[in-house]
Amino acid sequence: METDEFPARAEDGPCEKIESLERLVGDQEERLAGMLRIAANLTRWRDPRRAMKAIVKDLSELTGADRTTIYEVRREEQMLMGLAVQGSASLEVGIPLGHGIAGQVALRNRTINLKDAYRDPHFDPKYDKLTGYRTRSMLCVPMRNAKREVVGVVQVLNKKDGSYFNLEDEKLLQTLAGQAGVTLEALHLQLQLNINNAELLDLSEQLKQKVAELELLYDNEQNLGEAGSLDSIADTVLPAAARLA
């Protein structure tokens, strides 16, 4: 078996090949465990922001990245808004669609993998200048919903071993970003459903109150029509007024 990380060599003996396979198996087991943690965290939270924040560290560990940022697409504003940022020196900012690497990924709906971000004309170094961080390698993939529409972007920076993100990293991050994208949309739909249900419940309570008030007013008019004196009118009106208060 040959991989990018553990290529087989003709001069390797049986012991070396076994060690290489063991390292490969161990690496795959770690990645599987990390993917399961991410799946668990995505289903643990009901708030989209908290769900995304719960997985950024695992995404970095699985891809060997120094840090991870997750953006959400806001179509009505034509912006990418930071949902989760790893690292105290990071800025959670808004990026116009089409601007910067993340903006290009969201606009074009395709992955961008850079060995040196500063060599790409779309890279915006101003955030490095603001934070003191130095971006080198970068992998940026779209988050898509079940309809394959872009709902966000996952961006990982600086491979920790000093190299760059390979094809296996791309496939892994695309898989995880797809899972996060479907979850993100589902959480937003659930939040909107909860809001709508709360609004309907409030309207229902208001309607019940109005109906009760109208019934009391109707009963009051009927009683007033039958009252023959001021004292009997007062006896009728005062209890009704107290019930409406």
Side-chain angles (χ1 to χ4, degrees), residues 16-58:
E16 287 79 5
K17 290 181 179 180
I18 291 174
E19 290 177 359
S20 178
L21 287 172
E22 287 177 344
R23 290 197 301 272
L24 175 61
V25 170
D27 181 69
Q28 294 300 322
E29 287 178 344
E30 288 181 6
R31 290 197 168 191
L32 178 59
M35 293 175 72
L36 292 174
R37 285 196 304 271
I38 287 174
N41 278 325
L42 286 173
T43 57
R44 178 183 177 187
W45 303 104
R46 295 184 178 180
D47 176 73
R49 184 175 293 275
R50 296 185 71 179
M52 297 302 113
K53 284 183 178 294
I55 69 172
V56 289
K57 184 178 179 182
D58 283 325

Side-chain angles (χ1 to χ4, degrees), residues 52 63 71 80 107 136 156 170 208 239 243:
M52 297 302 113
T63 58
Y71 298 98
L80 282 177
L107 185 65
R136 296 182 299 277
V156 292
E170 283 189 29
K208 288 180 181 178
R243 290 166 63 188

